[in-house]
Amino acid sequence: MIVRLVVAVLLTAALLGVGLPAAETARSERAATLAQDELTDFRDATGRFRRHNDATRPGQPGAVRLHTFRVPAGTTIRLGVGPRNESLRWKHGTGAGRVETDLSFDGSLRLTEGRHCVRLRLVRADSAVRIRLRRFKSDAGATG
């Protein structure tokens, strides 16, 4: 009876030793895929926003769009990196990825795990069109 119990415990420990690293790898790959998909969707949405709207001078009202990000646990997303702030980047543990875009962002924004709403506004600065990024928090009592 005790021999069976010892064998069962050893077998369980061996299965956990094999299964846990595989589960962690799967979790990391899933987070990487989700982050990459979020950034690709954002790139496509900002491209449509830019094509269908005109930029205004800073301080002038203009086209605004809201975009919601769902950043996976343990992941960081950066919007507006690179020499012209044109790249989107994600990092999860030791993995990292990048999504290139032909749009220039007016600054950089860092998002950590969770749900984030970002306000996009087209602005014209120094004869160049840029997308200004800001975190968006709705006012109390405002309706959707």
Side-chain angles (χ1 to χ4, degrees):
M1 177 83 170
I2 293 179
V3 172
R4 288 182 187 168
L5 180 64
V6 170
V7 170
V9 168
L10 290 175
L11 183 60
T12 302
L15 289 175
L16 283 176
V18 170
L20 288 180
E24 182 58 36
T25 300
R27 188 177 304 120
S28 292
E29 288 177 4
R30 181 175 184 278
T33 301
L34 290 174
Q36 187 76 22
D37 290 347
E38 283 288 325
L39 291 180
T40 302
D41 290 345
F42 179 69
R43 180 194 59 199
D44 296 343
T46 54
R48 283 190 304 273
F49 177 61
R50 170 67 178 98
R51 281 191 303 276
H52 297 294
N53 295 284
D54 292 324
T56 59
R57 296 180 200 272
Q60 299 293 319
V64 174
R65 185 183 197 290
L66 298 178
H67 188 87
T68 302
F69 284 92
R70 290 168 198 86
V71 182
T75 304
T76 301
I77 287 180
R78 294 225 19 204
L79 309 173
V81 294
R84 296 181 309 119
N85 293 338
E86 77 283 2
S87 297
L88 312 168
R89 184 170 55 198
W90 63 266
K91 183 175 181 185
H92 180 85
T94 59
R98 213 176 165 114
V99 174
E100 298 298 330
T101 176
D102 58 351
L103 304 167
S104 289
F105 296 96
D106 186 29
S108 181
L109 191 60
R110 182 176 176 268
L111 306 173
T112 56
E113 67 183 71
R115 189 178 170 117
H116 304 274
C117 192
V118 175
R119 183 183 68 179
L120 312 171
R121 174 171 281 165
L122 283 176
V123 295
R124 185 174 301 281
D126 302 328
S127 72
V129 175
R130 296 183 180 271
I131 296 178
R132 179 167 288 158
L133 303 168
R134 298 287 184 261
R135 293 180 193 274
F136 177 78
K137 293 189 180 189
S138 62
D139 296 332
T143 57

